[in-house]
Amino acid sequence: MRIVVSAGPTREFVDPVRFLSNRSSGKMGYAVAQAAVEAGHETVLVSGPVSIPAPRGLAAFVPVVSARDMLAALRKAVKGADALVMAAAVADFRPARACRRKIHKGEMPGAIALKPNPDILAALSRGKGRRVFVGFAAETERAEAGAAAKLRRKKLDLIVANDVTRPGAGFEVDTNIATFVRPDGSTETLPLMSKAELARKIVAQVEALAGV
Ligand code: CTP
C-alpha cells in the first residue's frame, strides 16, 4: 500500500522570530511511519518541525511549517495513496496578520488577533473515495465521546483517542494509552504500550480496513 502519515506540530508565525505552536514532539506519527515502512508499505511522511530523525526507508519525506503548508503537501501526497494516518497536531488558529518584520518590545500589541486554520482532515475527506483515513483525538476529558464526534465530523474510518493528561499518554513521552473508536460506535481500549507498539497496531488496522 501507499500510506501517507502526517506528524508533528505546525507553526503559525506572528513575526519572523515568533510563532504559535503546541507540544507535539512528532513521536507518535514518526512511529506510525516507521511501522508502515517495516510492514513493507510505500510510506510518505509529511512533518511539521520536530527534533527527531526521520525513519529510514521512506518513499518521501516532506517537511512543512504551517497548517496551510501541511494541507497543500497532503493534498498532493494523498493523490494516488491508499491511506492517510493523520497524527499531526495541527494548530487550529493562526495570527490574523503575520508582521513581516520583528515586533520590538516597545510596540508589543496587547492582544494577538487570531483566525481559524483549515481543518485538514475535514477538507481532504471530501474527496476521500475508497481511501482509508485514520485520525487522532487528543483530549483532556471524555476522550471517547469527543473522539466519536470528530470521527463523524471528519468522515474517518478509525480514530485513535487518547487522554493526554494521563501519565504515560500524550506529549513527548514514548508510551501511549489509546482507544480505537470506529464508525459503528464500537470501541477498543488498549493498555499502556510503547508508541512503537501502538503504531504497529494502527498499521494493522489500516491494512484490515483496506482489505489487505
Ligand atoms: N486535524 C486536522 N486539521 C486541524 C486540526 C486537527 O486535520 N486543523 C486533525 C488532527 O491531525 C487529528 C484530528 O484532526 O487527526 C483531531 O484533532 P484534534 O486536535 O483532536 O481535534 P480538532 O478538530 O482540533 O477539535 P477540537 O479543537 O475541538 O478538539
Side-chain angles (χ1 to χ4, degrees), residues 28 65 110 132 165 189 201 207:
M28 192 64 244
V65 178
V132 172
T165 63
T189 299
K201 289 192 183 297
E207 290 167 348

Side-chain angles (χ1 to χ4, degrees), residues 38-39 46 66-67 75 84 94 100-101 161 182 185 193:
E38 282 168 8
V46 175
S66 70
R75 265 197 208 289
L84 168 65
R94 66 176 183 274
R100 256 187 262 148
R101 58 171 187 82
R182 299 198 168 77
M193 62 181 70

Side-chain angles (χ1 to χ4, degrees), residues 60-169:
F61 177 76
V62 186
V64 297
V65 178
S66 70
R68 287 178 297 170
D69 296 342
M70 186 172 275
L71 173 58
L74 286 172
R75 265 197 208 289
K76 279 195 199 139
V78 297
K79 281 189 193 140
D82 303 295
L84 168 65
V85 180
M86 187 79 196
V90 184
D92 287 317
F93 302 100
R94 66 176 183 274
R97 280 182 309 117
C99 190
R100 256 187 262 148
R101 58 171 187 82
K102 183 184 173 189
I103 303 169
H104 292 285
K105 63 172 172 281
E107 54 190 17
M108 205 45 111
I112 298 172
L114 300 175
K115 67 178 181 192
N117 267 333
D119 185 317
I120 296 177
L121 270 180
L124 295 178
S125 67
R126 276 177 223 129
K128 175 178 170 306
R130 294 163 65 89
R131 280 172 289 211
V132 172
F133 276 19
V134 177
F136 279 73
E139 305 285 350
T140 54
E141 77 253 273
R142 302 197 329 114
E144 285 175 28
K150 286 173 192 178
L151 174 133
R152 283 193 297 276
R153 195 167 72 235
K154 300 177 195 241
K155 299 193 178 66
L156 305 178
D157 300 288
L158 177 73
I159 194 156
V160 184
N162 62 345
D163 180 339
V164 293
T165 63
R166 286 179 70 182

Side-chain angles (χ1 to χ4, degrees), residues 2-16:
R2 188 172 175 86
I3 300 182
V4 178
V5 181
S6 74
T10 66
R11 288 181 180 173
E12 312 300 325
F13 278 87
V14 175
D15 73 10

Side-chain angles (χ1 to χ4, degrees), residues 146-209:
K150 286 173 192 178
L151 174 133
R152 283 193 297 276
R153 195 167 72 235
K154 300 177 195 241
K155 299 193 178 66
L156 305 178
D157 300 288
L158 177 73
I159 194 156
V160 184
N162 62 345
D163 180 339
V164 293
T165 63
R166 286 179 70 182
F171 301 108
E172 290 142 11
V173 296
D174 290 318
T175 55
N176 213 340
I177 309 168
T179 299
F180 289 155
V181 180
R182 299 198 168 77
D184 65 4
S186 66
T187 62
E188 184 185 343
T189 299
L190 304 169
L192 174 90
M193 62 181 70
S194 68
K195 285 183 175 172
E197 201 178 340
L198 177 58
R200 287 192 286 273
K201 289 192 183 297
I202 292 167
V203 170
Q205 292 289 320
V206 169
E207 290 167 348
L209 284 162

